[in-house]
Amino acid sequence: MEAVRLEEAGGLMEWTGQVYADAPTVAAEEWIGASTETVWALVSDIQLMPELSTELQEVGWLDGHEGPCVGARLRGRSSHPSLGDWETVSTIVECAAPFCFAWAVGDPAHPSSLWRFTLRPERGGTILRQSGQLGPAPSGLSFAITAMPEKEQKIVFVRLREFETGIKANLSAIKKRAEQTGRQEK
């Protein structure tokens, strides 16, 4: 069950008063006028993600991997005005082409965040859903929470809103690229 829901009408995240230990999640989805295979090629291309993200600056495969598969690891370099610059190592925890692609940041069994794309064919196109989960392991956000424990719920809510904004921007950009690619393939 997702801890944070999006309202149907405006897509705005509801206040739930969650704390970091709840491992709250935010998600959004978009219908894309392209095949799941076309959309899959985009969401599983880790080199595309820095182009879409305001935080993720650079990403690369580790351990000689050249593409996504369960257990493959990647290093990411990110930047945020309030959190600074940091590097992470993520592990692909789900990779079922062309339906699911997910990675855990940090320890796959106890990640500091978990990101997932799910794809399903619908109405001659693809429903693409992206979700992001905070925690349960500590992250850069944990420093702010430790410094201001009385503001934990607000800190978590603001970060989830940032996730939501990024997810919606990702979905929109992927939709545009996939539909352009789909038109070119016809």
Side-chain angles (χ1 to χ4, degrees):
M1 181 174 122
E2 296 204 343
V4 175
R5 296 169 306 278
L6 300 178
E7 294 177 12
E8 291 289 327
L12 296 175
M13 197 171 59
E14 298 174 1
W15 171 265
T16 62
Q18 295 218 278
V19 295
Y20 193 87
D22 295 331
T25 302
V26 65
E29 60 184 37
E30 178 87 43
W31 180 84
I32 299 173
S35 69
T36 54
E37 291 78 11
T38 297
V39 177
W40 171 263
L42 294 170
V43 301
S44 63
D45 177 3
I46 66 164
Q47 297 304 318
L48 175 62
M49 294 307 125
E51 291 180 41
L52 305 182
S53 175
T54 58
E55 286 186 26
L56 183 61
Q57 305 296 303
E58 184 180 336
V59 67
W61 292 110
L62 296 172
D63 310 321
H65 288 280
E66 295 181 12
C69 63
V70 172
R73 296 182 328 131
L74 50 119
R75 180 178 313 281
R77 188 177 57 77
S78 299
S79 183
H80 185 283
S82 299
L83 301 172
D85 299 336
W86 68 96
E87 284 192 4
T88 59
V89 173
S90 296
T91 304
I92 307 299
V93 293
E94 293 180 60
C95 187
F99 302 110
C100 185
F101 183 57
W103 62 98
V105 179
D107 179 356
H110 193 68
S112 60
S113 64
L114 181 65
W115 293 92
R116 175 176 284 112
F117 284 107
T118 56
L119 301 82
R120 74 176 187 275
E122 190 169 303
R123 300 186 321 267
T126 302
I127 297 288
L128 176 62
R129 176 182 177 86
Q130 185 181 8
S131 62
Q133 173 187 301
L134 287 172
S139 70
L141 199 61
S142 302
F143 298 112
I145 293 168
T146 299
M148 299 175 284
E150 72 284 0
K151 295 184 179 181
E152 179 176 5
Q153 292 173 320
K154 183 174 183 178
I155 292 167
V156 166
F157 181 74
V158 167
R159 188 63 172 145
L160 287 173
R161 269 283 173 94
E162 290 176 339
F163 276 16
E164 177 186 36
T165 298
I167 286 170
K168 287 180 176 183
N170 289 346
L171 295 175
S172 177
I174 292 167
K175 175 182 177 73
K176 183 177 179 180
R177 287 179 186 229
E179 289 177 350
Q180 286 174 345
T181 300
R183 282 192 293 276
Q184 292 169 357
E185 291 174 349
K186 290 183 180 182

